[in-house]
């Protein structure tokens, strides 16, 4: 334990506060127990707290407020443009709150045993009819193997498992034909070769959503000759790849610090008239739905139905994750759920079940077993669940379920949620696929939505 820093534990960052403690105290001024009870979340950005008595003065000088005001002046900012409000009449009538994990759990525990068993049976039936063709597609381009080795040798802050996921995303894009390797690998003056007549054309611009530090784009820039990049990320990160990317003379880089929900891609000046590829690695929860709406302006955006996109979407590759964070108001294919008899309450239950697939309490062996399970409904026929199902409660049934059975149900729900997204993409003129782009031993979050424009 370090005595020269505040001993207040920050659960989101999984470390102690880095500030120096006050004299004769284990805590800094922000977290000293004598003042902590007077602190409240900042009304502008709840990620930090303030003294209640200082709220009025803090609001005037909060750096997040200044960022918000600057963002609102940008032409590409439009509050909630990709939120899907028009898909959900209820959200138009009243402000829809975020449904938390605790709220979802309580909803499930209030179900009758028969209702719970019926829901699990429905999930099994839908999964069996729709999701049997999701294939494994772990593609590791040879060039990316060399890139991976060189980055590890340089001791950059990049984990091998993440680099392998990035490489497989790019490999799948190359296999589908929406990404082309340069004729001369790593040549600084690369131009993609047009198969129609050997003429040289510039490669498409790349938009990375939920870009984080930008290492997926870094791999793209090193081996696929891209010339224009737009990174979309609402948070600020240290150790970004931006500095390395900006050193490439032939590469134009733009970083937009904005929530995907508020991004009007049509109004990004640098993309007008450009062919584009959209990519994203681990777009958490509803970020996948927001990104798909953002990439297809004129399809679902509330005020853009009469507009033609100012850019040409050639393809996209989105690795989904964190389905337990998904929200009904954002999910883009409610019609798909309704067609299969799934209600808003069923959707909330399914998103809660998905946490069982990646809850951190089981090994990759359990994940593999869950992926291979073909008849998960049998979990309800096992002892002692039979007796509980007759006279017990849903909470008792869930607590008695074996780990592999819970994981199996969670993976099924993840498949169904992403299958709805796949169907939506196909309805919007995209030749789309849903694949498992890495083995579960690398990551149980291994779904990749990949698509190529039919036009």
């Amino acid at each position: 334990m370090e005595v020269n820093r505040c001993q207040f534990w920050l659960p989101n960052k999984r470390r102690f506060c880095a500030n120096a403690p006050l004299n004769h105290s284990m805590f800094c001024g922000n977290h000293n127990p004598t003042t902590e009870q007077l602190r409240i979340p900042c009304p502008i950005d709840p990620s930090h707290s303030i003294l209640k008595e200082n709220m009025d003065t803090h609001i005037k000088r909060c750096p997040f407020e200044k960022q918000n005001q600057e963002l609102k002046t940008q032409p590409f900012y439009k509050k909630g443009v990709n939120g899907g409000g028009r898909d959900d009449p209820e959200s138009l009538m009243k402000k829809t709150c975020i449904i938390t994990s605790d709220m979802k759990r309580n909803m499930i525990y209030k179900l009758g045993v028969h209702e719970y068993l019926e829901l699990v049976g429905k999930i099994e039936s839908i999964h069996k009819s729709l999701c049997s063709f999701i294939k494994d597609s772990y593609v590791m381009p040879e060039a990316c193997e060399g890139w991976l080795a060189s980055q590890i040798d340089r001791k950059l802050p990049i984990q091998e498992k993440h680099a392998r996921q990035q490489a497989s995303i790019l490999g799948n894009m190359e296999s589908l034909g929406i990404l082309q390797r340069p004729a001369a690998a790593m040549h600084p003056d690369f131009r993609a070769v047009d198969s129609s007549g050997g003429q040289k054309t510039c490669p498409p611009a790349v938009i990375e959503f939920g870009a984080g530090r930008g290492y997926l784009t870094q791999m793209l820039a090193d081996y696929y000759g891209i010339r224009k990049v737009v990174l979309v990320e609402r948070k600020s990160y240290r150790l970004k790849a931006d500095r390395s990317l900006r050193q490439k003379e032939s590469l134009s880089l733009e970083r937009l610090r904005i929530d995907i929900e508020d991004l009007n891609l049509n109004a990004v000046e640098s993309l007008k008239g450009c062919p584009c590829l959209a990519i994203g690695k681990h777009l958490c929860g509803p970020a996948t739905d927001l990104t798909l709406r953002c990439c297809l302006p004129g399809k679902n955006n509330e005020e853009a139905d009469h507009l033609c996109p100012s850019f040409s979407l050639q393809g996209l590759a989105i690795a989904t994750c964190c389905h337990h964070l998904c929200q009904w108001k954002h999910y883009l294919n409610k019609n798909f759920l309704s067609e299969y008899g799934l209600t808003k309450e069923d959707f909330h239950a399914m998103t809660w079940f998905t946490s069982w697939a990646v809850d951190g309490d089981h090994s990759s062996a359990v994940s593999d077993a869950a992926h291979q399970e073909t008849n998960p409904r049998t979990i309800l026929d096992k002892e002692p669940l039979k007796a509980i199902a007759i006279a017990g409660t849903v909470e008792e049934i869930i607590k008695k379920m074996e780990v592999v059975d819970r994981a199996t149900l969670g993976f099924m729900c993840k498949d169904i949620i992403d299958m709805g997204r796949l169907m939506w993409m196909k309805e919007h003129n995209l030749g789309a696929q849903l694949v498992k782009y890495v083995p579960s031993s690398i990551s149980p979050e291994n779904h990749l939505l990949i698509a190529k424009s039919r036009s």
Side-chain angles (χ1 to χ4, degrees), residues 186-249:
M186 297 185 65
H187 193 285
D189 294 326
F190 161 68
R191 296 290 190 278
V193 177
D194 190 337
S195 58
S196 62
Q199 296 180 351
K200 295 181 179 181
T201 59
C202 288
V206 172
I207 313 163
E208 183 178 356
F209 291 88
R213 294 179 173 87
Y215 287 118
L216 177 57
T217 292
Q218 175 79 69
M219 187 178 287
L220 256 174
D222 284 352
Y223 283 96
Y224 288 91
I226 57 174
R227 294 304 186 89
K228 183 180 293 185
V229 176
V230 175
L231 304 179
V232 180
E233 174 57 59
R234 65 181 179 180
K235 296 180 180 179
S236 176
Y237 284 90
R238 296 174 63 244
L239 302 174
K240 298 189 292 287
D242 298 37
R243 182 175 180 180
S244 173
L245 290 169
R246 293 186 191 280
Q247 291 176 351
K248 298 179 181 293
E249 295 182 0

Side-chain angles (χ1 to χ4, degrees), residues 270-448:
S270 61
L271 295 178
K272 290 185 177 180
C274 286
C276 296
L277 297 177
I279 59 175
K281 175 180 174 288
H282 286 190
L283 281 171
C284 292
T288 294
D289 304 295
L290 303 177
T291 296
L292 290 174
R293 284 197 185 91
C294 185
C295 290
L296 295 168
K299 303 295 185 181
N300 261 44
N301 289 358
E302 294 188 21
E303 297 182 8
D305 286 346
H306 64 288
L307 298 175
C308 293
S310 63
F311 59 92
S312 171
L313 182 68
Q314 292 192 343
L316 60 85
I318 296 175
T320 66
C321 78
C322 301
H323 296 74
H324 62 283
L325 298 176
C326 290
Q327 297 291 318
W328 174 260
K329 68 175 183 177
H330 293 138
Y331 189 67
L332 48 70
N333 205 348
K334 300 179 182 68
N335 290 336
F336 161 79
L337 299 177
S338 299
E339 288 173 3
Y340 285 91
L342 294 170
T343 65
K344 177 170 68 173
E345 290 72 25
D346 294 338
F347 177 79
H348 290 151
M350 288 171 56
T351 59
W352 190 71
F353 292 151
T354 62
S355 64
W356 294 347
V358 289
D359 62 6
D361 293 333
H362 54 76
S363 63
S364 60
V366 175
S367 297
D368 292 339
H371 276 299
Q372 295 168 5
E373 180 63 62
T374 57
N375 189 19
R377 194 177 182 182
T378 56
I379 61 178
L380 301 177
D381 296 326
K382 296 179 180 179
E383 297 293 350
L385 295 184
K386 282 185 178 180
I388 297 175
I390 295 174
T393 65
V394 171
E395 183 175 359
E396 291 175 311
I397 292 176
I398 290 174
K399 289 182 177 179
K400 290 293 184 179
M401 289 173 63
E402 295 180 9
V403 172
V404 66
D405 296 330
R406 287 160 57 101
T408 299
L409 184 58
F411 280 117
M412 282 199 307
C413 293
K414 291 168 73 71
D415 290 348
I416 293 172
I417 291 170
D418 282 342
M419 188 57 64
R421 292 162 167 167
L422 175 70
M423 298 299 185
W424 187 89
M425 292 164 65
K426 290 183 175 181
E427 291 170 2
H428 291 83
N429 202 35
L430 293 174
Q433 300 175 10
L434 174 62
V435 300
K436 297 176 182 177
Y437 73 105
V438 290
S440 57
S441 58
I442 294 180
S443 174
E445 298 278 24
N446 60 356
H447 281 182
L448 179 68

